[in-house]
Amino acid sequence: MIGQDGGVPIPPLRRHPVQRRSAERLGRILDACAELLDEISYEELSTRAVAERANVPIGSVYRFFSNKRAMAEALAHRNLDEYAERITRRLAASDAASASASGSASVSASGSGPDGGGGWREAMDVVVDEYLAMKRGAPGFALIEFGHPVPATAPPEQPNHLVADRLRTLLADRLRTGGDEATEERLRVAFLLAVETADALLRLAFRMDPEGDPAIVAETKELLRAYLARVLD
């Protein structure tokens, strides 16, 4: 099911799929929504256009979603799930390579292992790299990312709070914390500020270069390392 771990709320589905066939149909609907958002604006998006692209009856769309906003929100949740999965796979592969190279199955949980990998610094680089990969290649991600595009007159969403909490949970075994309430709160605030800062800087990188300006990306990574070191070292 979409978005159950890391404190991420369940997306606004009218009905959650139970059977495999129903889940596959939901996936096709979200795929079609993402593809269309690469071609048209959110304002031009319609549930009928999504149904046509997914090759499903319009009733199938309304079975899951009350309107296009709910569909976009579900796509944002799926993006966050995919982002977390990509980070997990990258870090697992890195850990396996480090364990093989050192002849041990254990990996240091400090900021940097003996070979410079396995710690929170490497993890934060992966966090940035996988965001860049999705920004460059994931359908619909450039517009939706992890939140819903709202008109300027609407209240702002807070997707970065969800992203920060999800990352903090995902990387818990790599973070050096004391476990007391004050330390956890400081870490929560630090991760939120790190995500907000990285979001602003990486948006700048993509305004400067359609593929993400390499110099700004590199400086963003350095800034994150320097800031989080105050909390994690």
Side-chain angles (χ1 to χ4, degrees):
M1 192 175 293
I2 303 173
Q4 292 194 71
D5 58 341
V8 179
I10 299 297
L13 297 181
R14 275 182 160 177
R15 181 177 300 179
H16 290 279
V18 177
Q19 298 180 342
R20 179 178 177 181
R21 182 179 176 183
S22 181
E24 290 175 348
R25 180 169 292 185
L26 173 60
R28 291 207 310 275
I29 291 170
L30 291 178
D31 288 344
C33 178
E35 290 171 5
L36 285 169
L37 287 171
D38 274 346
E39 303 168 11
I40 61 177
S41 68
Y42 174 75
E43 288 71 22
E44 296 173 301
L45 184 71
S46 70
T47 53
R48 184 167 298 278
V50 170
E52 291 175 356
R53 176 64 64 91
N55 195 26
V56 300
I58 185 67
S60 293
V61 175
Y62 285 116
R63 180 180 182 182
F64 296 114
F65 306 110
S66 57
N67 50 43
K68 70 178 184 180
R69 178 187 176 89
M71 188 163 46
E73 289 175 350
L75 179 59
H77 282 269
R78 190 177 75 164
N79 285 342
L80 184 53
D81 281 346
E82 181 181 348
Y83 182 50
E85 289 166 5
R86 292 173 69 124
I87 292 169
T88 299
R89 288 195 300 269
R90 276 280 304 276
L91 292 177
S94 176
D95 287 351
S98 295
S100 176
S102 65
S104 171
S106 64
V107 178
S108 172
S110 64
S112 178
D115 59 354
W120 68 263
R121 288 178 174 82
E122 178 198 21
M124 293 310 298
D125 283 354
V126 169
V127 164
V128 173
D129 290 341
E130 290 304 321
Y131 171 84
L132 296 174
M134 291 188 70
K135 188 78 169 177
R136 292 165 180 153
F141 189 80
L143 182 60
I144 294 293
E145 292 194 2
F146 308 119
H148 173 262
V150 295
T153 55
E157 302 286 349
Q158 295 184 326
N160 283 341
H161 287 70
L162 296 180
V163 176
D165 288 344
R166 185 70 169 268
L167 290 176
R168 186 163 46 87
T169 301
L170 187 67
L171 305 177
D173 61 341
R174 294 171 181 266
L175 306 179
R176 181 181 281 179
T177 65
D180 60 276
E181 187 174 334
T183 300
E184 289 300 318
E185 176 62 14
R186 186 183 181 206
L187 183 62
R188 185 193 67 79
V189 172
F191 256 74
L192 177 59
L193 292 179
V195 168
E196 290 282 1
T197 301
D199 182 41
L201 291 175
L202 293 176
R203 287 179 186 275
L204 173 62
F206 279 92
R207 288 201 302 271
M208 300 295 292
D209 184 330
E211 291 297 309
D213 185 273
I216 295 176
V217 170
E219 289 298 314
T220 299
K221 289 181 177 181
E222 288 294 333
L223 185 149
L224 290 175
R225 293 188 200 107
Y227 173 66
L228 290 174
R230 299 167 55 251
V231 180
L232 299 176
D233 282 350

Short mmCIF file of all heavy atoms in Angstrom, two decimals, residues 103-158:
data_model
loop_
_atom_site.label_atom_id
_atom_site.label_comp_id
_atom_site.label_asym_id
_atom_site.label_seq_id
_atom_site.Cartn_x
_atom_site.Cartn_y
_atom_site.Cartn_z
N GLY A 103 35.94 -7.48 4.05
CA GLY A 103 35.88 -8.85 4.53
C GLY A 103 34.98 -9.00 5.74
O GLY A 103 35.07 -9.98 6.48
N SER A 104 34.11 -7.99 5.95
CA SER A 104 33.21 -8.03 7.11
C SER A 104 31.82 -7.62 6.67
O SER A 104 31.66 -6.81 5.77
CB SER A 104 33.70 -7.06 8.19
OG SER A 104 32.73 -6.94 9.21
N ALA A 105 30.79 -8.16 7.32
CA ALA A 105 29.41 -7.82 6.98
C ALA A 105 28.95 -6.56 7.69
O ALA A 105 27.84 -6.09 7.47
CB ALA A 105 28.48 -8.98 7.33
N SER A 106 29.78 -6.03 8.58
CA SER A 106 29.38 -4.84 9.33
C SER A 106 29.91 -3.60 8.66
O SER A 106 30.96 -3.61 8.04
CB SER A 106 29.89 -4.91 10.77
OG SER A 106 31.29 -4.90 10.78
N VAL A 107 29.17 -2.52 8.76
CA VAL A 107 29.55 -1.24 8.19
C VAL A 107 29.50 -0.20 9.30
O VAL A 107 28.58 -0.19 10.10
CB VAL A 107 28.60 -0.83 7.05
CG1 VAL A 107 28.98 0.52 6.50
CG2 VAL A 107 28.61 -1.87 5.95
N SER A 108 30.50 0.65 9.34
CA SER A 108 30.54 1.67 10.38
C SER A 108 29.34 2.57 10.33
O SER A 108 28.89 2.96 9.27
CB SER A 108 31.81 2.53 10.20
OG SER A 108 31.79 3.62 11.08
N ALA A 109 28.77 2.90 11.48
CA ALA A 109 27.63 3.82 11.54
C ALA A 109 28.08 5.24 11.82
O ALA A 109 27.26 6.12 12.05
CB ALA A 109 26.66 3.37 12.65
N SER A 110 29.38 5.48 11.80
CA SER A 110 29.87 6.84 12.03
C SER A 110 29.75 7.65 10.77
O SER A 110 29.30 7.18 9.74
CB SER A 110 31.34 6.79 12.47
OG SER A 110 32.14 6.26 11.43
N GLY A 111 30.16 8.94 10.84
CA GLY A 111 30.05 9.83 9.69
C GLY A 111 30.81 9.33 8.50
O GLY A 111 30.45 9.63 7.37
N SER A 112 31.87 8.55 8.71
CA SER A 112 32.63 8.01 7.60
C SER A 112 33.31 6.74 8.05
O SER A 112 33.93 6.68 9.10
CB SER A 112 33.68 9.02 7.12
OG SER A 112 34.46 8.49 6.08
N GLY A 113 33.18 5.67 7.24
CA GLY A 113 33.84 4.41 7.55
C GLY A 113 35.29 4.46 7.14
O GLY A 113 35.78 5.48 6.65
N PRO A 114 36.02 3.37 7.32
CA PRO A 114 37.42 3.34 6.99
C PRO A 114 37.71 3.67 5.53
O PRO A 114 38.75 4.23 5.20
CB PRO A 114 37.82 1.88 7.31
CG PRO A 114 36.79 1.41 8.28
CD PRO A 114 35.55 2.11 7.92
N ASP A 115 36.74 3.34 4.67
CA ASP A 115 36.95 3.63 3.25
C ASP A 115 36.18 4.86 2.81
O ASP A 115 36.01 5.11 1.63
CB ASP A 115 36.52 2.42 2.39
CG ASP A 115 35.06 2.06 2.61
OD1 ASP A 115 34.43 2.65 3.51
OD2 ASP A 115 34.56 1.19 1.90
N GLY A 116 35.69 5.61 3.78
CA GLY A 116 34.96 6.84 3.47
C GLY A 116 33.49 6.62 3.18
O GLY A 116 32.77 7.55 2.86
N GLY A 117 32.99 5.38 3.30
CA GLY A 117 31.59 5.09 2.98
C GLY A 117 30.87 4.54 4.18
O GLY A 117 31.43 4.27 5.23
N GLY A 118 29.56 4.31 4.02
CA GLY A 118 28.77 3.64 5.04
C GLY A 118 28.19 4.55 6.10
O GLY A 118 27.41 4.09 6.92
N GLY A 119 28.52 5.82 6.13
CA GLY A 119 28.02 6.70 7.18
C GLY A 119 27.01 7.69 6.66
O GLY A 119 26.51 7.59 5.54
N TRP A 120 26.68 8.67 7.51
CA TRP A 120 25.62 9.60 7.16
C TRP A 120 26.03 10.53 6.02
O TRP A 120 25.16 10.97 5.26
CB TRP A 120 25.18 10.39 8.39
CG TRP A 120 26.18 11.36 8.95
CD1 TRP A 120 27.04 11.16 9.98
CD2 TRP A 120 26.41 12.71 8.51
NE1 TRP A 120 27.79 12.28 10.22
CE2 TRP A 120 27.43 13.25 9.33
CE3 TRP A 120 25.86 13.50 7.51
CZ2 TRP A 120 27.89 14.56 9.17
CZ3 TRP A 120 26.33 14.81 7.34
CH2 TRP A 120 27.34 15.33 8.17
N ARG A 121 27.30 10.83 5.87
CA ARG A 121 27.72 11.70 4.76
C ARG A 121 27.45 11.04 3.41
O ARG A 121 26.92 11.67 2.48
CB ARG A 121 29.20 12.07 4.90
CG ARG A 121 29.49 13.06 6.03
CD ARG A 121 30.97 13.36 6.16
NE ARG A 121 31.21 14.40 7.14
CZ ARG A 121 31.27 14.21 8.46
NH1 ARG A 121 31.08 12.98 8.94
NH2 ARG A 121 31.48 15.21 9.28
N GLU A 122 27.83 9.78 3.31
CA GLU A 122 27.53 9.04 2.08
C GLU A 122 26.02 8.99 1.85
O GLU A 122 25.54 9.17 0.72
CB GLU A 122 28.08 7.62 2.16
CG GLU A 122 27.75 6.79 0.92
CD GLU A 122 27.88 5.29 1.15
OE1 GLU A 122 27.85 4.86 2.31
OE2 GLU A 122 28.00 4.58 0.15
N ALA A 123 25.27 8.75 2.93
CA ALA A 123 23.82 8.66 2.80
C ALA A 123 23.22 9.96 2.29
O ALA A 123 22.32 9.95 1.43
CB ALA A 123 23.21 8.29 4.15
N MET A 124 23.70 11.09 2.77
CA MET A 124 23.16 12.37 2.31
C MET A 124 23.51 12.65 0.86
O MET A 124 22.72 13.24 0.12
CB MET A 124 23.65 13.51 3.21
CG MET A 124 23.11 13.45 4.63
SD MET A 124 21.31 13.23 4.75
CE MET A 124 20.72 14.71 3.93
N ASP A 125 24.69 12.21 0.42
CA ASP A 125 25.03 12.33 -1.00
C ASP A 125 24.06 11.51 -1.85
O ASP A 125 23.62 11.95 -2.92
CB ASP A 125 26.46 11.87 -1.26
CG ASP A 125 27.51 12.90 -0.84
OD1 ASP A 125 27.11 14.02 -0.46
OD2 ASP A 125 28.71 12.58 -0.89
N VAL A 126 23.73 10.31 -1.38
CA VAL A 126 22.78 9.46 -2.09
C VAL A 126 21.40 10.11 -2.12
O VAL A 126 20.70 10.08 -3.13
CB VAL A 126 22.71 8.06 -1.44
CG1 VAL A 126 21.54 7.26 -2.01
CG2 VAL A 126 24.02 7.31 -1.67
N VAL A 127 21.00 10.73 -1.02
CA VAL A 127 19.71 11.43 -0.96
C VAL A 127 19.63 12.49 -2.06
O VAL A 127 18.62 12.60 -2.76
CB VAL A 127 19.53 12.08 0.44
CG1 VAL A 127 18.43 13.13 0.42
CG2 VAL A 127 19.20 11.00 1.48
N VAL A 128 20.70 13.26 -2.22
CA VAL A 128 20.73 14.29 -3.26
C VAL A 128 20.77 13.65 -4.64
O VAL A 128 20.02 14.05 -5.55
CB VAL A 128 21.93 15.23 -3.07
CG1 VAL A 128 22.06 16.20 -4.24
CG2 VAL A 128 21.79 16.01 -1.77
N ASP A 129 21.62 12.66 -4.83
CA ASP A 129 21.78 12.04 -6.15
C ASP A 129 20.48 11.40 -6.64
O ASP A 129 20.15 11.51 -7.83
CB ASP A 129 22.89 10.99 -6.12
CG ASP A 129 24.27 11.60 -5.97
OD1 ASP A 129 24.43 12.80 -6.26
OD2 ASP A 129 25.20 10.87 -5.57
N GLU A 130 19.76 10.74 -5.77
CA GLU A 130 18.53 10.08 -6.19
C GLU A 130 17.42 11.09 -6.47
O GLU A 130 16.58 10.87 -7.34
CB GLU A 130 18.08 9.05 -5.15
CG GLU A 130 18.98 7.83 -5.08
CD GLU A 130 19.12 7.14 -6.43
OE1 GLU A 130 18.13 7.04 -7.17
OE2 GLU A 130 20.25 6.69 -6.75
N TYR A 131 17.43 12.21 -5.75
CA TYR A 131 16.49 13.28 -6.09
C TYR A 131 16.78 13.80 -7.48
O TYR A 131 15.87 14.00 -8.30
CB TYR A 131 16.58 14.42 -5.06
CG TYR A 131 15.79 15.64 -5.47
CD1 TYR A 131 14.43 15.72 -5.19
CD2 TYR A 131 16.40 16.69 -6.14
CE1 TYR A 131 13.70 16.84 -5.58
CE2 TYR A 131 15.67 17.80 -6.53
CZ TYR A 131 14.33 17.88 -6.25
OH TYR A 131 13.60 18.97 -6.64
N LEU A 132 18.06 14.02 -7.79
CA LEU A 132 18.44 14.51 -9.11
C LEU A 132 18.02 13.53 -10.19
O LEU A 132 17.53 13.93 -11.26
CB LEU A 132 19.95 14.74 -9.17
CG LEU A 132 20.53 15.82 -8.26
CD1 LEU A 132 22.04 15.83 -8.32
CD2 LEU A 132 19.98 17.19 -8.63
N ALA A 133 18.22 12.25 -9.95
CA ALA A 133 17.86 11.22 -10.93
C ALA A 133 16.36 11.25 -11.22
O ALA A 133 15.92 11.14 -12.37
CB ALA A 133 18.29 9.85 -10.45
N MET A 134 15.55 11.40 -10.17
CA MET A 134 14.11 11.46 -10.38
C MET A 134 13.70 12.77 -11.06
O MET A 134 12.82 12.78 -11.93
CB MET A 134 13.38 11.31 -9.05
CG MET A 134 13.49 9.91 -8.45
SD MET A 134 12.44 9.66 -6.98
CE MET A 134 10.79 9.67 -7.72
N LYS A 135 14.34 13.84 -10.70
CA LYS A 135 14.03 15.13 -11.31
C LYS A 135 14.31 15.09 -12.81
O LYS A 135 13.58 15.68 -13.61
CB LYS A 135 14.89 16.22 -10.66
CG LYS A 135 14.54 17.65 -11.06
CD LYS A 135 13.32 18.15 -10.35
CE LYS A 135 13.12 19.65 -10.55
NZ LYS A 135 11.89 20.13 -9.92
N ARG A 136 15.37 14.39 -13.19
CA ARG A 136 15.75 14.32 -14.60
C ARG A 136 14.94 13.32 -15.40
O ARG A 136 14.78 13.50 -16.61
CB ARG A 136 17.24 13.97 -14.71
CG ARG A 136 18.18 15.05 -14.21
CD ARG A 136 19.57 14.51 -13.99
NE ARG A 136 20.51 15.52 -13.51
CZ ARG A 136 21.58 15.25 -12.79
NH1 ARG A 136 21.85 13.99 -12.46
NH2 ARG A 136 22.37 16.23 -12.39
N GLY A 137 14.44 12.26 -14.74
CA GLY A 137 13.88 11.19 -15.54
C GLY A 137 12.52 10.64 -15.15
O GLY A 137 11.88 9.97 -15.96
N ALA A 138 12.04 10.89 -13.94
CA ALA A 138 10.77 10.30 -13.52
C ALA A 138 9.60 11.08 -14.12
O ALA A 138 9.53 12.30 -13.95
CB ALA A 138 10.66 10.30 -11.99
N PRO A 139 8.68 10.41 -14.83
CA PRO A 139 7.55 11.11 -15.45
C PRO A 139 6.74 11.90 -14.43
O PRO A 139 6.43 11.40 -13.35
CB PRO A 139 6.71 9.96 -16.04
CG PRO A 139 7.69 8.85 -16.28
CD PRO A 139 8.68 8.96 -15.14
N GLY A 140 6.42 13.13 -14.78
CA GLY A 140 5.59 13.98 -13.95
C GLY A 140 6.27 14.55 -12.72
O GLY A 140 5.71 15.43 -12.05
N PHE A 141 7.49 14.12 -12.42
CA PHE A 141 8.14 14.52 -11.17
C PHE A 141 8.49 16.01 -11.16
O PHE A 141 8.47 16.65 -10.11
CB PHE A 141 9.40 13.69 -10.95
CG PHE A 141 10.03 13.87 -9.60
CD1 PHE A 141 9.52 13.22 -8.50
CD2 PHE A 141 11.13 14.70 -9.43
CE1 PHE A 141 10.08 13.39 -7.24
CE2 PHE A 141 11.71 14.88 -8.18
CZ PHE A 141 11.17 14.22 -7.09
N ALA A 142 8.82 16.55 -12.32
CA ALA A 142 9.22 17.96 -12.38
C ALA A 142 8.12 18.88 -11.86
O ALA A 142 8.41 19.95 -11.31
CB ALA A 142 9.60 18.33 -13.81
N LEU A 143 6.86 18.46 -12.01
CA LEU A 143 5.75 19.31 -11.57
C LEU A 143 5.22 18.92 -10.20
O LEU A 143 4.97 19.77 -9.35
CB LEU A 143 4.61 19.24 -12.60
CG LEU A 143 3.39 20.10 -12.29
CD1 LEU A 143 3.79 21.58 -12.21
CD2 LEU A 143 2.33 19.91 -13.36
N ILE A 144 5.08 17.61 -9.96
CA ILE A 144 4.46 17.15 -8.72
C ILE A 144 5.46 16.97 -7.59
O ILE A 144 5.21 17.34 -6.45
CB ILE A 144 3.70 15.82 -8.97
CG1 ILE A 144 2.51 16.06 -9.90
CG2 ILE A 144 3.23 15.22 -7.65
CD1 ILE A 144 1.43 16.91 -9.30
N GLU A 145 6.62 16.37 -7.90
CA GLU A 145 7.61 16.00 -6.89
C GLU A 145 6.92 15.25 -5.74
O GLU A 145 6.31 14.22 -5.95
CB GLU A 145 8.38 17.22 -6.40
CG GLU A 145 9.29 17.81 -7.46
CD GLU A 145 10.30 18.78 -6.91
OE1 GLU A 145 10.35 18.98 -5.67
OE2 GLU A 145 11.05 19.35 -7.71
N PHE A 146 7.01 15.80 -4.51
CA PHE A 146 6.43 15.12 -3.35
C PHE A 146 5.21 15.86 -2.80
O PHE A 146 4.73 15.55 -1.72
CB PHE A 146 7.47 14.98 -2.24
CG PHE A 146 8.76 14.35 -2.70
CD1 PHE A 146 9.95 15.05 -2.62
CD2 PHE A 146 8.76 13.08 -3.25
CE1 PHE A 146 11.14 14.48 -3.04
CE2 PHE A 146 9.94 12.49 -3.68
CZ PHE A 146 11.13 13.19 -3.58
N GLY A 147 4.74 16.85 -3.55
CA GLY A 147 3.61 17.64 -3.09
C GLY A 147 2.70 17.98 -4.24
O GLY A 147 2.94 17.63 -5.39
N HIS A 148 1.63 18.67 -3.94
CA HIS A 148 0.61 19.00 -4.93
C HIS A 148 0.76 20.44 -5.38
O HIS A 148 0.86 21.33 -4.55
CB HIS A 148 -0.78 18.77 -4.31
CG HIS A 148 -1.90 19.22 -5.19
ND1 HIS A 148 -2.51 20.43 -5.05
CD2 HIS A 148 -2.49 18.62 -6.26
CE1 HIS A 148 -3.46 20.56 -5.97
NE2 HIS A 148 -3.46 19.47 -6.70
N PRO A 149 0.78 20.70 -6.70
CA PRO A 149 0.89 22.09 -7.17
C PRO A 149 -0.41 22.84 -6.90
O PRO A 149 -1.47 22.46 -7.40
CB PRO A 149 1.14 21.94 -8.68
CG PRO A 149 0.53 20.63 -9.03
CD PRO A 149 0.69 19.74 -7.82
N VAL A 150 -0.35 23.87 -6.10
CA VAL A 150 -1.57 24.59 -5.74
C VAL A 150 -1.52 25.99 -6.35
O VAL A 150 -0.44 26.54 -6.59
CB VAL A 150 -1.72 24.73 -4.21
CG1 VAL A 150 -1.91 23.37 -3.58
CG2 VAL A 150 -0.53 25.44 -3.60
N PRO A 151 -2.69 26.59 -6.62
CA PRO A 151 -2.70 27.98 -7.11
C PRO A 151 -2.10 28.92 -6.08
O PRO A 151 -2.05 28.61 -4.88
CB PRO A 151 -4.20 28.27 -7.31
CG PRO A 151 -4.85 26.93 -7.39
CD PRO A 151 -4.02 26.01 -6.53
N ALA A 152 -1.65 30.07 -6.53
CA ALA A 152 -0.99 31.03 -5.64
C ALA A 152 -1.91 31.49 -4.52
O ALA A 152 -1.46 31.91 -3.45
CB ALA A 152 -0.51 32.23 -6.45
N THR A 153 -3.22 31.40 -4.73
CA THR A 153 -4.17 31.87 -3.72
C THR A 153 -4.51 30.80 -2.69
O THR A 153 -5.19 31.07 -1.71
CB THR A 153 -5.48 32.31 -4.40
OG1 THR A 153 -5.98 31.22 -5.20
CG2 THR A 153 -5.23 33.52 -5.29
N ALA A 154 -4.04 29.58 -2.91
CA ALA A 154 -4.39 28.48 -2.00
C ALA A 154 -3.36 28.37 -0.88
O ALA A 154 -2.23 28.82 -1.02
CB ALA A 154 -4.45 27.16 -2.77
N PRO A 155 -3.75 27.78 0.25
CA PRO A 155 -2.79 27.59 1.35
C PRO A 155 -1.65 26.68 0.90
O PRO A 155 -1.87 25.71 0.19
CB PRO A 155 -3.63 26.89 2.44
CG PRO A 155 -5.05 27.16 2.07
CD PRO A 155 -5.08 27.27 0.58
N PRO A 156 -0.42 26.98 1.28
CA PRO A 156 0.71 26.16 0.88
C PRO A 156 0.69 24.79 1.52
O PRO A 156 0.26 24.63 2.67
CB PRO A 156 1.94 26.96 1.34
CG PRO A 156 1.43 27.77 2.49
CD PRO A 156 0.00 28.11 2.14
N GLU A 157 1.12 23.78 0.78
CA GLU A 157 1.28 22.44 1.34
C GLU A 157 2.61 22.37 2.08
O GLU A 157 3.44 23.26 1.98
CB GLU A 157 1.24 21.40 0.20
CG GLU A 157 -0.03 21.44 -0.63
CD GLU A 157 -1.24 20.87 0.12
OE1 GLU A 157 -1.03 20.26 1.18
OE2 GLU A 157 -2.36 21.03 -0.38
N GLN A 158 2.84 21.28 2.80
CA GLN A 158 4.08 21.12 3.54
C GLN A 158 4.73 19.77 3.23
O GLN A 158 5.01 18.98 4.13
CB GLN A 158 3.82 21.25 5.04
CG GLN A 158 3.37 22.64 5.46
CD GLN A 158 3.21 22.76 6.96
OE1 GLN A 158 2.84 21.82 7.64
NE2 GLN A 158 3.51 23.92 7.49
#
